[in-house]
Amino acid sequence: MTAPAVGRTVDVTAGVRPAVRAMPTYVPAKIDHASPTGRQVKLDMNESPYGPSPRARAALAAFDATNRYPDFAASELREALACYTGVPAERIAAGAGLDDVLNNLMVLLVDPGDEVVISEPTFGVYRSLVALRGGRTVDVPLGPRPDFALDAEAILAAITPRTKLVLICDPNNPTGHRFDPASVERVIAGAPCLVAVDEAYAEFAGATILPLMARYPNLCVLRTLSKFAGLAGMRVGYGIFPEALMPDVWRVTPAFCNVSAASTAAAVASLEDVAFLRGVIDRLNADRDRLAADLAALPGVEPFPSATNFLLVRLPVRDARPVVLDLAAHGVHVRHFANPALGIADCLRVSVGTPEEHARFLAALRDALGRAEAAA
Ligand SMILES: Cc1ncc(COP(=O)(O)O)c(C=O)c1O
């Protein structure tokens, strides 16, 4: 037996692809759970404060098939999603969260130098995934606030022979609003490439682009159970693809199935409990509107219209970062988008939580804004 090569140095990082080093990393919200300020209010990741449906909880409690691989074709999950969406299972591919489906989409489409058109400010993961493939993100910024309108003509004008994908987040994260459906359709109708619409928050908006798939062969719709179904921790997302693309989608989908058997059980049970989930959505939407009204009553504070389970909120400061850090120091966690290019550095994003969490957030925000004003 050869002895271990003690002292031999191998630079294992030398093989790392340059695209990995160059990629803009998505910085998730950080929580210091050891904070001395007592119970933390976590309103930074657009999660459901109410968790999954009772059937999903029961399915997880009863789950004991941990020693078996999940069905590699995810047939049961895809059938349940087909029932839920009204789209044939043959056009649905699932993944470990929508992040995973997005990653597979980039593996499917993007070679080094290829382009993906997005409209900032939008979901930060898009840029990272495109960069990881050596692709280039082409930003066609949203229009001025408060409308943050999608510029369909500018998006179409930005498409080149290298454009593989136009990615539209609707309702958009982090602005929270829905785009004018006519603009989205204009992009789909005019684009000579695939257009993916990320509908992570569609259930809160009560609207979907899905029916347009019958008319446009270049439309793909991306969804998740993380938000409306309260299953963020289980990681279940899915894409609905044009029929012609499905054989290639299967080629890039990992052979052993990315959705765990436990996640499948929870997701399938959730989709059998849609009436319960609709009740949760109604409650969150009503609480969101109450929170928006309470925020609008604070001097200089302006929540933007939202069709999601979160609000983008303009504060009466040039840079909201110190206020967001102050809130975190008091156990209330919300999101800040510091990159000045996004044009929302004076805003915070807050998820819709429970009424008790909203009360704590509002009180902490009032105090933090008072301190910010005193320090100015
Ligand atoms: C717009 C958007 N797309 C995709 C995702 C990822 O969702 P998942 O938890 O399914 O990976 C998120 C999560 O915040 C999101 O906001």
Side-chain angles (χ1 to χ4, degrees):
M1 203 176 92
T2 317
V6 179
R8 193 169 72 103
T9 57
V10 177
D11 180 7
V12 291
T13 66
V16 174
R17 289 189 299 122
V20 174
R21 293 273 165 74
M23 130 191 200
T25 43
Y26 175 75
V27 185
K30 281 197 201 87
I31 280 217
D32 177 9
H33 288 283
S35 159
T37 50
R39 200 172 66 79
Q40 304 287 299
V41 175
K42 194 174 174 337
L43 299 174
D44 52 355
M45 298 284 279
N46 304 340
E47 297 151 325
S48 170
Y50 299 114
S53 82
R55 284 195 200 194
R57 284 181 203 274
L60 277 173
F63 181 78
D64 68 352
T66 53
N67 57 322
R68 300 292 174 199
Y69 282 108
D71 164 23
F72 291 172
S75 306
E76 191 191 2
L77 175 58
R78 288 170 48 245
E79 284 299 339
L81 290 168
C83 251
Y84 173 63
T85 58
V87 174
E90 291 70 31
R91 293 178 62 179
I92 300 175
L98 181 44
D99 267 10
D100 186 41
V101 180
L102 280 162
N103 187 50
N104 284 344
L105 190 59
M106 300 309 167
V107 172
L108 179 71
L109 298 175
V110 180
D111 263 335
D114 284 345
E115 294 168 3
V116 174
V117 179
I118 63 169
S119 291
E120 298 274 24
T122 192
F123 186 44
V125 164
Y126 303 154
R127 269 190 188 276
S128 308
L129 293 178
V130 174
L132 197 53
R133 302 291 314 155
R136 206 168 74 81
T137 313
V138 175
D139 177 27
V140 178
L142 299 179
R145 56 202 208 181
D147 295 335
F148 294 109
L150 191 72
D151 191 340
E153 298 312 322
I155 288 175
L156 294 176
I159 293 175
T160 74
R162 294 297 314 247
T163 306
K164 291 296 191 69
L165 177 68
V166 177
L167 193 38
I168 298 173
C169 185
D170 189 25
N172 188 45
N173 179 11
T175 57
H177 75 306
R178 260 194 89 202
F179 295 123
D180 169 15
S183 316
V184 180
E185 183 167 358
R186 172 80 189 103
V187 174
I188 300 161
C193 61
L194 190 70
V195 178
V197 179
D198 179 338
E199 289 197 335
Y201 301 95
E203 279 82 0
F204 298 99
T208 172
I209 195 112
L210 261 183
L212 290 195
M213 287 193 82
R215 224 174 318 146
Y216 297 104
N218 61 329
L219 173 59
C220 146
V221 177
L222 306 172
R223 295 268 191 87
T224 178
L225 274 73
S226 290
K227 312 296 181 181
F228 84 99
L231 287 177
M234 298 308 294
R235 317 301 302 123
V236 185
Y238 61 102
I240 304 171
F241 297 91
E243 202 173 347
L245 207 52
M246 282 311 291
D248 296 314
V249 169
W250 280 117
R251 278 189 189 97
V252 297
T253 301
F256 275 35
C257 184
N258 271 1
V259 187
S260 79
S263 298
T264 299
V268 169
S270 271
L271 295 169
E272 287 164 359
D273 221 352
V274 169
F276 172 88
L277 294 175
R278 291 228 167 88
V280 174
I281 290 166
D282 290 347
R283 179 171 173 182
L284 289 170
N285 282 348
D287 287 345
R288 174 197 65 214
D289 293 344
R290 257 189 293 275
L291 176 61
D294 289 344
L295 283 164
L298 299 178
V301 174
E302 181 195 358
F304 293 103
S306 172
T308 63
N309 66 334
F310 61 87
L311 288 164
L312 185 70
V313 186
R314 190 180 76 84
L315 303 184
V317 292
R318 204 173 44 80
D319 180 7
R321 186 174 155 77
V323 175
V324 169
L325 291 177
D326 187 334
L327 288 172
H330 290 84
V332 176
H333 302 273
V334 297
R335 221 36 224 276
H336 180 242
F337 300 90
N339 180 355
L342 298 178
I344 52 172
D346 57 344
C347 299
L348 60 76
R349 191 196 68 193
V350 59
S351 315
V352 179
T354 62
E356 297 71 34
E357 288 172 328
H358 292 177
R360 255 193 83 184
F361 162 62
L362 285 163
L365 180 62
R366 235 179 258 118
D367 291 349
L369 286 174
R371 280 188 286 271
E373 197 180 359

